[in-house]
Amino acid sequence: PDLVIDSVTWSPPDLPVGQTATFTVKVHNIGTQSVPLTRLAYYVDGKMAGYVDVPPLAPDGTASEALTWPISSGQHTIKFVADATNLVQEIDEENNDKILTLPLPDLVVTHLSPSPAAPAIGDTVTLTVTLKNEGQSATQPTVLSGRLDDGMTRLVAAREAGYVVMH
């Protein structure tokens, strides 16, 4: 077996101080063997804040579990860990966690330009997209995708002085 955290979503979306956030964590067994009952835990600023037991998962099985946290002011690092008790022998023991830093980063597109500037039919066009983090915490690795003629396009990132330039 091999447990990973596919995603973490939360409500309310703006995480207002003084309210309780509900984090929904999707745990996925990407291995070829079943996983018995296991524990999903989360840590706030390095201290355990809670856990939930995840039911057994078949190969390629998923489970979505909810964890709550009373939102407090200041910067926080929240780490979600699948198989927190380390009882499941896995293919990869290093891919069991996902980290969220609060307050959240705020990525905005500050520039978008095509090259060549006036393309003709049949030209190859390079789109340069500049993202700026206007939030109060660092971003994690980010994938920028865009729609071009109703298809998804994945762009490659390069970091430049507080900005991320996508080509």
Side-chain angles (χ1 to χ4, degrees):
D2 191 10
L3 291 172
V4 297
I5 296 177
D6 271 351
S7 63
V8 177
T9 57
W10 53 87
S11 178
D14 55 346
L15 297 170
V17 172
Q19 291 191 22
T20 298
T22 299
F23 295 101
T24 302
V25 182
K26 184 178 176 187
V27 179
H28 187 183
N29 177 11
I30 61 172
T32 59
Q33 298 293 317
S34 294
V35 175
L37 182 79
T38 187
R39 181 155 292 171
L40 169 67
Y42 76 106
Y43 302 80
V44 176
D45 302 327
K47 296 179 183 157
M48 182 181 265
Y51 67 88
V52 63
D53 289 331
V54 178
L57 294 174
D60 201 36
T62 62
S64 291
E65 301 295 336
L67 297 161
T68 60
W69 176 62
I71 304 165
S72 60
S73 62
Q75 188 162 5
H76 301 283
T77 300
I78 303 176
K79 182 177 181 179
F80 301 90
V81 181
D83 188 27
T85 54
N86 203 27
L87 295 177
V88 178
Q89 186 176 2
E90 299 178 63
I91 293 169
D92 183 352
E93 296 285 353
E94 303 298 317
N95 63 352
N96 290 9
D97 61 35
K98 193 155 296 266
I99 298 172
L100 178 65
T101 303
L102 300 176
L104 297 170
D106 185 11
L107 292 175
V108 295
V109 174
T110 60
H111 183 75
L112 172 65
S113 63
S115 177
I121 293 175
D123 284 352
T124 297
V125 177
T126 298
L127 296 174
T128 300
V129 180
T130 303
L131 295 176
K132 182 179 181 187
N133 181 1
E134 293 184 347
Q136 298 177 13
S137 63
T139 63
Q140 293 183 21
T142 302
V143 173
L144 176 67
S145 296
R147 292 209 181 270
L148 181 63
D149 295 331
D150 293 329
M152 290 300 291
T153 302
R154 188 173 187 164
L155 304 169
V156 179
R159 297 193 182 277
E160 296 178 8
Y163 292 83
V164 177
V165 179
M166 310 298 282
H167 298 280

